[in-house]
Amino acid sequence: MGTLAPFTLHRAGTAAQAAALLASLPRARIIAGGTDLVPNLRRGIGAPPALVDVSGIAGLAAIARDAQGWRIGAGATLARLAADESIARELPALAQAAASVAGPGHRSVATLGGNLCLDTRCVYYYQSEWWRRSNHYCLKHGGETCHVAPQGKRCHAAFSGDVAPALLALDATAEVVGQTGLRSAPLADLYADDGAAHLRLLADELIVAVRIPPQPAGSRSGYRKARVRGAMDFPLAGVAMRADFDSGKLAGLRVALTGTNSRPLLLDGTEALYGAPVDEAMLTLLAKRIGKQVSPMRTTVAASNYRRQVAIVLAQGLLRDLAAAPAS
């Protein structure tokens, strides 16, 4: 890694001020914990002339619970989410996902908003400047070819954040502030299946919070991931799930995956599994749906089909365990 290119640091006192700064400073980037952004800048992946520090915005790290559910500020650290006993009890998938990110030092400063906006990853993109220059860069940054799929015209870098699939499984919405004010949107709407432009945020927008509704009675949730190293690594595949049960039968199922596509993927077609107990027949149907919808490409050191099979096995094991666990 090299040294950072020169930049100007601006400290925002409010979300509205941050939005105004982003609008007035071309190519500016937001920084809070910086655990992903700073290493990327040191690799020469981007050289924004300005960074907007949002870590001092009052209330951005607030966590609240009321009759409408949870509101978690984008500035809340992953360590805090992982350690919160109420979150672990009511939203296990979120606590488990937060606890799985990187190492303790990273989680102590890494934020919810930062993990939701994590850059997509690829072995051809996350290399040193001289390596990327020797290979004529890539479609995501500075080049004209995606080395994963050289004949195509889109970037296949994979989204590898852990928290987003957990929040998708828990049916979260995002609060976003821009120059036109505050808007809310289903979390899934903030992502596009394009590795080079996977965030559907305008240049002046930032995520300020997520809202999670009360979970259905009889629901259970969890998160599992597989990685090359047992700690401090991004997922080759990760699965978050909320399963709802009624009299021992599946009454609802939300499955979200990470590490396999250029966006966190909310699985379609789970309604076909409702009304039956979790058995091998159901797990086989779940495997078929995942196999058809996930589309890992050669973006990691592991083979694409291996990652697809890992996602299937993780999901099957998680659903089996949730069915055997007491309701939250």
Side-chain angles (χ1 to χ4, degrees):
M1 290 188 183
T3 57
L4 293 175
F7 63 88
T8 303
L9 181 66
H10 301 262
R11 300 188 188 278
T14 65
Q17 184 182 5
L21 286 167
L22 291 172
S24 65
L25 300 168
R27 296 171 42 231
R29 298 287 302 275
I30 292 174
I31 187 167
T35 55
D36 187 56
L37 176 62
V38 173
N40 288 352
L41 297 183
R42 292 185 62 190
R43 290 187 180 97
I45 300 175
L51 297 180
V52 178
D53 181 4
V54 298
S55 61
I57 295 178
L60 195 65
I63 299 176
R65 173 71 166 91
D66 58 24
Q68 282 70 50
W70 290 83
R71 185 183 185 276
I72 303 177
T77 65
L78 300 184
R80 187 175 170 200
L81 298 181
D84 190 296
E85 294 182 359
S86 296
I87 290 177
R89 182 174 59 254
E90 294 189 33
L91 310 170
L94 177 57
Q96 293 167 18
S100 76
V101 176
H106 300 88
R107 293 192 294 272
S108 68
V109 294
T111 63
L112 170 64
N115 200 256
L116 291 177
C117 296
L118 191 73
D119 198 5
T120 51
R121 308 186 67 80
C122 176
V123 290
Y124 299 98
Y125 175 62
Y126 276 89
Q127 300 289 343
S128 65
E129 165 65 19
W130 68 264
W131 190 97
R132 290 180 290 111
R133 183 174 63 248
S134 301
N135 288 277
H136 308 291
Y137 298 98
C138 71
L139 187 62
K140 183 171 170 65
H141 182 76
E144 299 179 354
T145 301
C146 176
H147 299 299
V148 173
Q151 304 306 315
K153 293 299 180 183
R154 61 152 289 193
C155 169
H156 291 276
F159 180 82
S160 299
D162 293 287
V163 174
L167 290 172
L168 286 176
L170 297 169
D171 199 18
T173 59
E175 293 183 355
V176 178
V177 167
Q179 282 199 295
T180 59
L182 175 70
R183 69 179 177 95
S184 296
L187 187 67
D189 290 354
L190 298 187
Y191 298 99
D193 199 19
D194 181 349
H198 71 294
L199 289 175
R200 287 176 170 153
L201 291 173
L202 300 178
D204 66 330
E205 289 186 324
L206 66 152
I207 299 173
V208 295
V210 295
R211 286 192 176 272
I212 307 168
Q215 301 301 291
S219 71
R220 307 155 200 179
S221 72
Y223 178 72
R224 300 274 177 84
K225 70 188 284 187
R227 43 193 164 183
V228 173
R229 297 175 294 182
M232 295 182 66
D233 216 342
F234 293 91
L236 296 172
V239 178
M241 184 179 296
R242 189 193 77 197
D244 311 328
F245 294 91
D246 183 9
S247 301
K249 296 182 179 180
L250 190 67
L253 182 65
R254 293 178 65 88
V255 181
L257 300 103
T258 185
T260 59
N261 294 54
S262 292
R263 62 178 175 180
L265 175 70
L266 186 64
L267 195 68
D268 287 332
T270 57
E271 299 85 356
L273 307 180
Y274 297 176
V278 175
D279 55 17
E280 290 306 313
M282 179 182 290
L283 296 177
T284 298
L285 289 174
L286 177 63
K288 290 180 179 179
R289 275 161 176 73
I290 293 174
K292 289 180 180 179
Q293 295 180 44
V294 302
S295 54
M297 299 289 285
R298 189 167 48 90
T299 56
T300 74
V301 296
S304 300
N305 189 57
Y306 170 80
R307 289 160 56 208
R308 180 181 288 105
Q309 295 304 315
V310 163
I312 290 171
V313 171
L314 288 175
Q316 289 178 318
L318 181 53
L319 181 55
R320 188 184 292 113
D321 289 349
L322 292 180
S328 60

